[in-house]
Amino acid sequence: MPATMPDFVDAVDNVLDRVIVIGRSTTDDQADLPSDCPGWSVRDLFAHIVGLGQLLDGAPVPDVDLPDLDHVVNDLDRHMEGPIQIRRGLPLVAVVDELEGFRPRRLTHLRQLASAEGDPEVTSPFGDPRPLSATLPVHLVDIWSHEQDLRRALGLAVQTDTPAGRFCLTRTLEVWSALLPRKVEGVDAELVVTATGEGSDGQATTIELGAGGQQLGLSGSAAALTRAGFGRGPLEARLADLSLKGPEAAFEAIIPHLVFTP
């Protein structure tokens, strides 16, 4: 799991390498497959990864007129959609070529920032300036989650036993520990969340809800827990791989608040 800013850069590099490998084995027909991200195809995911990376590296926001898209409902959606829209007519190989060509420049820049004194201010994935220490973890979560979106869309196994995968699991548990006590109402319990299997490192956390009391259990693989946190796919699919222990009414209050990514 990443521990320092250079470690985060190494993890980003590792994810980008795997994304490029996936891209090289994906056909143009597969590029049109839908993903778990509403409105985005496999090709759109590759376009997002390279396009957002360029924005974070200082490229200007594309000046593009967006058509009416059902999944674009706010300014953040529009910010993310521009780099995808300008690549929608390109063959997949061109988008993957662009990502592979951009990767060395992006990693060189990130390594310079990570080794600089202090905490340099950079462009965040949300388009505003933030410290590198706040931005790089969010970027890692973004590209790792989209790597898994690609894998699910293409019928490939999700990979969690990597530095980025282990970090994303830790991030999910940390966010739930901070978020759920503020969001869940009417439940007095201890929620024990347990990660199992590959990439879990035996991680578990206990989250106090309300006044505590009854014990609830939520367990699943690292892939299932992170998918629940990232809100990927239909609710039924997310819940299918989770084990819930406790009253159904309690989980009806908890489940809507598991998703924490845009």
Side-chain angles (χ1 to χ4, degrees), residues 66-86:
L66 292 177
D68 289 332
L69 300 168
D70 290 342
H71 61 282
V72 177
V73 298
N74 55 41
D75 288 342
L76 179 60
D77 290 345
R78 284 183 280 275
H79 175 71
M80 296 295 182
E81 200 70 23
I84 296 174
Q85 183 64 27
I86 63 174

Side-chain angles (χ1 to χ4, degrees), residues 220-239:
S221 66
L225 293 175
T226 52
R227 186 181 187 186
F230 300 156
R232 295 303 204 262
L235 178 61
E236 296 78 11
R238 283 179 261 148
L239 293 179

Side-chain angles (χ1 to χ4, degrees), residues 17 20 24 50 94-105:
D17 179 64
I20 291 167
R24 293 305 183 200
V50 66
V95 181
V96 179
D97 283 347
E98 185 181 13
L99 177 59
E100 188 166 24
F102 167 68
R103 174 187 169 198
R105 184 170 75 252

Side-chain angles (χ1 to χ4, degrees), residues 1-3 159-171 173 193-205 220-223 225-226:
M1 186 175 69
Q159 289 192 351
T160 57
D161 196 13
T162 64
R166 290 188 289 275
F167 171 73
C168 287
L169 173 60
T170 298
R171 184 82 159 198
L173 299 182
V193 182
T194 306
T196 60
E198 190 174 78
S200 70
D201 293 335
Q203 292 195 62
T205 189
S221 66
L225 293 175
T226 52

Side-chain angles (χ1 to χ4, degrees), residues 217-258:
L218 170 63
S219 63
S221 66
L225 293 175
T226 52
R227 186 181 187 186
F230 300 156
R232 295 303 204 262
L235 178 61
E236 296 78 11
R238 283 179 261 148
L239 293 179
D241 294 326
L242 296 175
S243 176
L244 309 179
K245 182 179 179 181
E248 183 177 339
F251 282 103
E252 287 178 351
I254 294 168
I255 286 168
H257 302 294
L258 292 179

